Amino acid sequence: MEYAKSIYTNAPGGGVKIDKLPVQRLPEHNVRLKVLLNGMCGTDRGIVSGGLSFAYNPQNSDKLIIGHESLCIIDEIYAESEEFKVGDLVVPVVRRPGDCVNCKIGRQDNCSDGKKHEAGITGMDGFMREYFYDSLDYIVKVPDKEMIDVAVLTEPLKNVVKGFEVFDIVSKRAIFANEYSTFEGKRCLVIGSGSEAFLYSMMAREHGFDVIMTNRHPIEDKKLEICERFGINFVDYSADASQITGPGNDLLIDTSGDPGTIFRFLKTLNYNGVLILFGTNGRAPPAQLNGNDIDFFIERNITVAGTVDAAKIHYIKALEYLRKWKYAYGNTLSQLITGTYRPEDLEIFTKKPAGEIKTVIKW
Ligand code: NAP
């Protein structure tokens, strides 16, 4: 039996430890991946705090190796491949298919019977470990070695690519884009100022939206500088919400998972507006809608769309955006990575470093 240093929990109860754990090689595994970097996200912290009730261990195990954001290098290949070779930088796919029709066509992000698994989250060991075995079917190649400093952002960005795919479909039910088929002149409000909020805001700018990012407190100067570079306007709504409520918004994206804040800003949506629900927070206080709120949503044709995870196609597109932004914005893109830690620095799972956008673990 082989062993690798691994970061693990006991889901859904929580906690976090680091130790040498067995590395399994299944018959379908035809590649060995050495982990270079893991990204830390709100979901990892939720699992460790015990706040994510849907997380669970692999079958017959009392441990779940966590981590779903990663950048790896191919260590060994045990199959013929025209696409991959030893030394390639790759990003592994998080969701693995179950039995439903969506899973069968490679869209396990839209799994319809709940039998899919998610590495490091639901029933499958994740990527926070020195190395692991996988199948070539579930890795995506980083097209350019120069992207080594930003490719760990692929996994969180692929969620955003899918979120915008959902928005694109929903927005086509009415005339939403302008006469040039862009969203210039439309406004997008993004709730939250973590990594997903930054990536959603950047993607909204890419689509031509005027973008406001908002939180209930001010953000650090470094974050403000990044906002400025990408043309994102930050508003601390606890100090002044008039910039948000005044002109109204066309697209509202939530990364906070806080119902009170979402409902507050839902009422700022213009006719045919769209709310994308993305953030999760099982411990957020409840909030109530009343009958007049419902009338408002109906009268304005408001669409509420939840979106989770993404498919291989979204990873590929995310890598294209990262490549473009890397060259278009110089080192501003890599500044989204605000801290690099050792695997032993387990305190980052329970204490967010000040000014964090994306914290990474370097193996
Ligand atoms: P994160 O860094 O924790 O971001 C959450 C952001 O929301 C933080 O900036 C937080 O501010 C802010 N926030 C919390 N309550 C707020 C409120 N009442 N008003 C305004 N802002 C508020 O996490 P992340 O990695 O960016 O991920 C964002 C969320 O998406 C997490 O909940 C994560 O679990 C979820 N997620 C969903 C998917 C999916 O497929 N749907 C995938 C990945 C992640 P503070 O820093 O002040 O707390």
Side-chain angles (χ1 to χ4, degrees):
M1 181 62 81
E2 299 173 51
Y3 290 83
K5 208 188 268 185
S6 311
I7 302 176
Y8 65 97
T9 188
N10 183 1
V16 62
K17 288 187 181 158
I18 182 164
D19 220 332
K20 291 232 170 204
L21 293 186
V23 186
Q24 257 200 318
R25 182 171 169 201
L26 301 175
E28 64 270 28
H29 286 164
N30 49 17
V31 63
R32 190 166 81 165
L33 301 174
K34 186 169 177 292
V35 180
L36 300 178
L37 294 169
N38 291 123
M40 162 84 64
C41 105
T43 304
D44 300 311
R45 291 203 175 100
I47 294 171
V48 164
S49 74
L52 279 192
S53 55
F54 57 79
Y56 62 95
N57 298 336
Q59 218 176 7
N60 304 323
S61 173
D62 60 356
K63 295 180 183 65
L64 171 73
I65 298 173
I66 46 186
H68 55 281
E69 298 182 7
S70 76
L71 173 65
C72 302
I73 188 163
I74 295 185
D75 212 10
E76 284 184 31
I77 295 192
Y78 316 101
E80 294 280 308
S81 172
E82 290 196 357
E83 190 183 0
F84 297 104
K85 60 180 185 321
V86 170
D88 282 347
L89 292 177
V90 295
V91 177
V93 170
V94 176
R95 262 203 192 193
R96 306 301 166 99
D99 304 328
C100 77
V101 283
N102 284 312
C103 285
K104 283 192 168 46
I105 61 163
R107 288 302 306 256
Q108 54 266 30
D109 56 313
N110 292 331
C111 175
S112 46
D113 63 7
K115 290 188 183 158
K116 47 58 182 161
H117 294 291
E118 285 151 319
I121 308 172
T122 52
M124 178 183 160
D125 279 328
F127 311 135
M128 282 192 186
R129 43 180 159 167
E130 287 170 297
Y131 75 94
F132 59 96
Y133 293 95
D134 210 332
S135 157
L136 292 171
D137 292 341
Y138 297 114
I139 59 175
V140 181
K141 187 166 163 170
V142 177
D144 179 345
K145 288 236 157 126
E146 295 293 314
M147 293 169 70
I148 191 159
D149 58 337
V150 294
V152 71
L153 297 169
T154 307
E155 200 283 337
L157 184 59
K158 65 65 163 125
N159 298 323
V160 171
V161 174
K162 174 174 168 186
F164 266 85
E165 178 187 89
V166 172
F167 162 73
D168 282 338
I169 292 166
V170 168
S171 67
K172 288 204 169 51
R173 77 208 153 123
I175 297 174
F176 196 102
N178 61 29
E179 61 192 297
Y180 307 106
S181 299
T182 77
F183 299 101
E184 257 159 76
K186 296 275 175 182
R187 218 170 71 160
C188 171
L189 176 65
V190 178
I191 304 173
S193 52
S195 56
E196 296 286 5
F198 268 88
L199 293 170
Y200 262 112
S201 300
M202 287 158 62
M203 189 63 79
R205 290 291 301 138
E206 182 75 29
H207 279 65
F209 279 95
D210 293 332
V211 179
I212 294 184
M213 179 195 285
T214 194
N215 204 326
R216 60 210 183 294
H217 53 66
I219 54 172
E220 296 75 7
D221 288 350
K222 246 185 133 182
K223 282 193 177 186
L224 283 173
E225 277 166 31
I226 296 173
C227 283
E228 201 175 315
R229 183 77 178 90
F230 286 108
I232 300 160
N233 180 12
F234 177 81
V235 172
D236 167 6
Y237 68 78
S238 68
D240 177 15
S242 61
Q243 281 188 65
I244 298 175
T245 49
N249 297 293
D250 302 291
L251 171 60
L252 173 57
I253 296 170
D254 177 66
T255 72
S256 75
D258 181 62
T261 310
I262 298 166
F263 289 177
R264 173 175 178 182
F265 293 123
L266 245 177
K267 294 295 275 292
T268 69
L269 277 175
N270 293 328
Y271 287 91
N272 303 317
V274 179
L275 163 65
I276 298 287
L277 288 177
F278 181 82
T280 56
N281 183 356
R283 292 193 168 151
Q288 267 190 332
L289 289 175
N290 63 37
N292 288 331
D293 296 328
I294 303 298
D295 290 354
F296 175 92
F297 304 143
I298 293 168
E299 193 55 34
R300 293 196 172 209
N301 279 312
I302 304 295
T303 305
V304 178
T307 176
V308 67
D309 196 72
K312 210 166 173 180
I313 180 76
H314 305 109
Y315 285 77
I316 295 165
K317 283 193 181 157
L319 279 158
E320 283 169 15
Y321 281 115
L322 287 176
R323 193 179 200 179
K324 175 176 170 191
W325 293 342
K326 178 180 166 70
Y327 292 113
Y329 295 100
N331 66 358
T332 311
L333 184 62
S334 61
Q335 286 172 10
L336 294 184
I337 296 164
T338 43
T340 303
Y341 292 79
R342 297 171 312 135
E344 290 75 17
D345 296 332
L346 297 181
E347 69 278 3
I348 53 167
F349 283 89
T350 45
K351 195 163 173 258
K352 237 190 218 190
E356 172 186 83
I357 300 177
K358 178 58 71 188
T359 287
V360 299
I361 295 170
K362 187 171 181 191
W363 288 87

